[in-house]
Amino acid sequence: TTKPQRITFPSTSITFNMSFMDKFKKAGRSLVDTGAKTMLKADIAFLEREIKQRKQKFGVEVYDSMQLLEVDNDMPIEEKEQKIRVAFDRARKDIAVIQAKIECKKEEIAVLEAEMLAAAQGGDQTYAGDMAIPPSSGNVIISGHPSEMEYGMK
């Protein structure tokens, strides 16, 4: 029996080096993607804190308004209710804007995770258009001012 001969071509060395560089690039890209994901999660945490602060501000506004309105006996009840409704509508609009930002950040995280998964499976992660991007939550953002909308209350 004869042993198979081993033949080495110069291109094999180049292929090995390219493969090593590809792995190095993928590792670097993974690190960058992980950092971006962490930044997005931090952004979400800050936005959630902003929502909490806005709700607290709303509570203070309503309390102060109700305290003043309780003393003002000349003002009709409907007008008092309207003042409180306006404060609520402003707070709801502000919170909706922040929630939309959170939703965008969550979708960015989902895209990054899809790209990272594709890269881990050996796919090309440079173009996100061919990734399976999850659908949004279905929240509808209305750009009109809440005072212009009807809430089913008359």
Side-chain angles (χ1 to χ4, degrees), residues 5-84:
Q5 292 182 352
R6 194 172 211 163
I7 302 173
T8 309
F9 293 103
S11 63
T12 307
S13 174
I14 293 171
T15 304
F16 171 74
N17 288 337
M18 293 284 284
S19 176
F20 176 74
M21 287 303 292
D22 289 341
K23 288 179 184 178
F24 189 71
K25 286 179 186 177
K26 282 184 182 182
R29 179 64 185 181
S30 175
L31 187 61
V32 168
D33 288 347
T34 301
K37 185 176 167 184
T38 302
M39 288 293 293
L40 288 168
K41 286 183 177 183
D43 289 348
I44 289 171
F46 284 123
L47 290 168
E48 287 172 344
R49 186 179 322 148
E50 202 175 314
I51 287 175
K52 183 178 179 182
Q53 290 170 342
R54 183 59 181 103
K55 287 179 179 180
Q56 289 172 339
K57 180 181 174 187
F58 165 73
V60 171
E61 287 175 8
V62 169
Y63 183 86
D64 290 345
S65 292
M66 290 182 77
Q67 190 175 27
L68 290 174
L69 295 174
E70 191 174 58
V71 176
D72 188 1
N73 292 327
D74 296 333
M75 186 181 292
I77 291 176
E78 293 81 23
E79 199 172 325
K80 291 178 181 181
E81 288 175 352
Q82 182 61 30
K83 285 187 176 278
I84 294 169

